[in-house]
Amino acid sequence: MPSPTPIDTDAVEALFALPFNDLIYRAQTVHRQHFDPNQVQRSTLLSIKTGGCSEDCGYCSQSARRDTGIGRGKLLDLEEVELAAKAAKEKGATRFCMGAAWRGPKDGDLDKVIEMVRAVKNLGMEACLTLGLLAPGQAEKLAAAGLDYYNHNLDTGAEYYDQIITTHSQQARMETLMSVRGAGIKICCGGIIGMGESRRVRASLIAQLANLNPPPESVPINHLVAIPGTPLENAPPLDPFEFVRTIACARITMPTSYVRLSAGRQQMSDELQALCFLAGANSIFYGDKLLTSGNPEVAHDEALFARLGLTGC
Ligand code: SAM
Ligand code: DTB
Ligand code: SF4
C-alpha cells in the first residue's frame, strides 16, 4: 500500500533514539497488526555465477578487484540449479533465490537464467533473482518467465554510497528497481548494516526504502559479513542492539513488508536472533550457505525455531 506521506530521516532517527524497550514494543505491536508473529518465511539462496565481478563494492568477496580467494566461476548448468532447488524444497524452503556476481546480465546469459526461473516455478516454488543492474527490456523478459521477486539492494544511505561503491551509482540501482516494479515483479530491497556508517546513515537508508512508495515487498537487512581481502575486513564492530534497532525501524516504517534477517546470522547468537524476531523480522535465508559465506545449518535453525515456537512458511 502506498505510504501517504514521505518518511524523513529525522523521523527514523527519532525512532532509533527511543529507549530500547519502547522501540521493540512499538515494532512488535505493528508486527502483530499485519502478521502472525510466530511465522517466519524461509528462502534458500544459490550462487549461480560466483566471483569475477567488475564492480568494486567494498563489502563483497566477489569483486575481481580483490584477492579474497573466491576465484571466477561460470554460470551453473540448468540441471545443477534444478537439483539444488529440489533439495531446498525438500528442506522446507518456499522461495528459491539465485544470485550472480555480475554488474548486470548479458542478454545471452539472461536467456539461460530464464530457463532456471521456469524450472524453479515448475517445482511449485517462488523464484527470486539478483543479477545486478538490468538493461531496458530485461525486466519484462523476466516477468514473462514468471519471476516473483527481484533482489536489488540500496545497500546504504545515499550520502554514504560512494564511500563503499564507486563503479556504479545508487541512482542507477534506483532505475533498475523502477523497471522491475514497472514490469510487475515484486521487489526485494534492503541494505547492509555495520559498514562503519553512522546511525544517521542507517536512518537515511530506512527512510529511502520506506519511501519507495510502495515500500519493497521484502526488505533484507544484512549484517556485514567482514570478508578478509575486502576493504571492509576490519570494519569497526557494531553494537548488536543497534542492529536490532535497525530491524525495528524497518518494521515500523514498512509495516506490511517482510523484513528479512539476512546475512550475518552465522555470527549471531541465538539470543540476538530471537531479539531480531521480536523486533519484527519475519523472513530468513535457510540452508548452510549464503552466496560465498556460511549460514547456520538447517538442523540448528530447526532447533532454534522449536525453542522459540516459530513455524516456517
Ligand atoms: N551482483 C548483484 C548485485 O550486486 O546486486 C547480485 C549479488 S550481490 C552479492 C547481492 C547483495 O548481497 C548485495 O547487494 C549486498 O547487499 C549483499 N552482500 C554482499 N556481500 C555481503 C557481505 N559481505 N555482507 C553482507 N551482505 C553482503
Ligand atoms: C541479500 O540482501 N543478501 C543476500 C541476497 N540478498 C542475495 C546475499 C548475502 C551475501 C552474503 C555474503 C556472501 O555470502 O558472499
Ligand atoms: Fe559485484 Fe554484486 Fe558483489 Fe557488487 S555486490 S561486487 S555488483 S557481486
Side-chain angles (χ1 to χ4, degrees):
M1 214 188 300
S3 44
T5 44
I7 295 164
D8 68 20
T9 301
D10 287 342
V12 182
E13 219 179 357
L15 287 176
F16 266 98
L18 285 171
F20 188 76
N21 288 346
D22 292 346
L23 177 62
I24 302 304
Y25 178 72
R26 275 189 62 173
Q28 179 64 204
T29 305
V30 168
H31 190 42
R32 281 168 187 263
Q33 284 162 3
H34 300 280
F35 291 100
D36 176 338
N38 301 310
Q39 270 202 351
V40 175
Q41 191 276 331
R42 298 184 293 195
S43 301
T44 292
L45 253 182
L46 177 69
S47 180
I48 57 171
K49 192 271 171 188
T50 306
C53 184
S54 62
E55 303 306 282
D56 72 349
C57 311
Y59 46 80
C60 189
S61 63
Q62 304 196 71
S63 166
R65 297 159 193 251
R66 320 249 140 79
D67 184 10
T68 59
I70 292 294
R72 178 191 291 260
K74 287 199 307 215
L75 183 60
L76 296 186
D77 292 332
L78 178 61
E79 292 68 32
E80 286 174 89
V81 175
E82 243 176 335
L83 275 178
K86 271 186 195 148
K89 186 181 174 183
E90 275 158 25
K91 287 184 179 151
T94 53
R95 190 179 306 158
F96 194 66
C97 306
M98 296 166 276
W102 289 323
R103 173 186 169 90
K106 297 193 186 81
D107 281 332
D109 287 330
L110 194 76
D111 291 341
K112 292 182 189 158
V113 173
I114 281 173
E115 293 308 311
M116 297 173 188
V117 170
R118 294 214 166 95
V120 170
K121 297 293 295 178
N122 281 340
L123 291 171
M125 300 175 89
E126 289 184 313
C128 174
L129 288 174
T130 180
L131 311 174
L133 299 167
L134 295 180
Q138 290 187 327
E140 287 72 17
K141 279 189 171 181
L142 293 172
L147 182 69
D148 297 284
Y149 285 85
Y150 195 80
N151 167 241
H152 199 59
N153 292 336
L154 291 183
D155 281 321
T156 190
E159 64 271 53
Y160 197 59
Y161 199 80
D162 65 1
Q163 303 281 306
I164 305 293
I165 299 152
T166 68
T167 46
H168 58 261
S169 66
Q170 203 189 52
Q171 185 51 37
R173 288 182 84 82
M174 276 288 193
E175 283 158 23
T176 286
L177 287 168
M178 292 308 111
S179 70
V180 167
R181 180 153 270 165
I185 300 166
K186 287 181 268 211
I187 290 181
C188 172
C189 180
I192 309 178
I193 307 302
M195 300 195 291
E197 76 285 344
S198 62
R199 177 179 274 186
R200 177 88 187 161
V201 167
R202 289 188 275 280
S204 142
L205 169 68
I206 297 295
Q208 271 183 279
L209 293 168
N211 289 330
L212 282 176
N213 202 13
E217 286 79 6
S218 164
V219 182
I221 305 293
N222 294 278
H223 192 298
L224 175 72
V225 179
I227 292 174
T230 64
L232 288 170
E233 69 174 312
N234 296 315
L238 180 79
D239 176 356
F241 295 130
E242 191 66 14
F243 186 78
V244 181
R245 283 177 186 276
T246 310
I247 300 257
C249 290
R251 168 51 64 224
I252 294 165
T253 56
M254 293 172 270
T256 60
S257 303
Y258 279 84
V259 175
R260 184 183 301 269
L261 170 56
S262 196
R265 283 200 305 119
Q266 199 179 38
Q267 289 74 25
M268 292 176 197
S269 67
D270 288 351
E271 294 82 354
L272 177 56
Q273 292 186 60
L275 272 180
C276 292
F277 295 130
L278 193 62
N282 61 347
S283 163
I284 58 167
F285 284 120
Y286 186 63
D288 58 9
K289 201 162 176 210
L290 291 167
L291 292 174
T292 66
S293 68
N295 198 43
E297 300 283 336
V298 164
H300 188 98
D301 279 342
E302 295 284 358
L304 179 60
F305 274 40
R307 287 168 74 202
L308 300 177
L310 295 175
T311 51
C313 63

